[in-house]
Amino acid sequence: MLRTALVTLRHPAAMAVRSQPSSDMAAFREKLRTSKHVAVLSGAGVSAESGIPTFRGSGGFWRTYQAQDLATPGAFARDPSLVWEFYHYRRELVLTKEPNKV
C-alpha cells in the first residue's frame, strides 16, 4: 500500500493531514520515477538474503553483545576501540556482498 503524507514544514498543523491508503502501483511508480530523493527502510531479513548476519537471528550480534555495548554514544565513550572494530567489521562484510532481488 502507498500512504502519502501532505506535510508543509512552515505549517505544523498540516502535518496531521494524510491521504487515504492506495494500491495504485502505476501512480506509485510514477511518483518514484520523478522523485529526486528516495529513502528505503527495511527489516533485517532483507540484508540476510544477501548473506549479511542479522542482529537478533542465529549468530546475530545481539546474541553475543548488548546493543548498548556497540551501537550507542555511551558505548563509544566507554570503549571506542570495540565500537570502531564492530563498525569496521560491518563495513568490510558489506563490501563483499551483492544486493539481492528483494
Side-chain angles (χ1 to χ4, degrees):
M1 286 194 320
L2 171 66
R3 182 180 294 244
T4 58
L6 304 174
V7 178
T8 304
L9 295 177
R10 292 185 206 146
H11 303 291
M15 292 178 74
V17 177
R18 297 191 188 279
S19 67
Q20 293 297 315
S22 171
S23 59
D24 184 345
M25 289 304 292
F28 172 76
R29 286 186 188 105
E30 179 60 20
K31 187 69 169 173
L32 183 62
R33 187 183 70 73
T34 60
S35 295
K36 291 183 181 179
H37 304 282
V38 176
V40 176
L41 305 176
S42 66
V46 173
S47 299
E49 290 291 323
S50 291
I52 299 168
T54 64
F55 287 95
R56 291 182 181 86
S58 176
F61 290 111
W62 299 160
R63 297 209 180 258
T64 305
Y65 294 97
Q66 295 295 312
Q68 307 87 293
D69 296 335
L70 295 173
T72 66
F76 187 79
R78 283 187 305 278
D79 192 347
S81 180
L82 177 64
V83 174
W84 279 117
E85 184 178 335
F86 170 65
Y87 283 104
H88 176 73
Y89 166 75
R90 290 182 62 202
R91 281 190 302 273
E92 293 295 315
L93 177 69
V94 169
L95 287 172
T96 69
K97 306 302 177 189
E98 294 291 326
N100 63 65
K101 295 182 183 199
V102 178

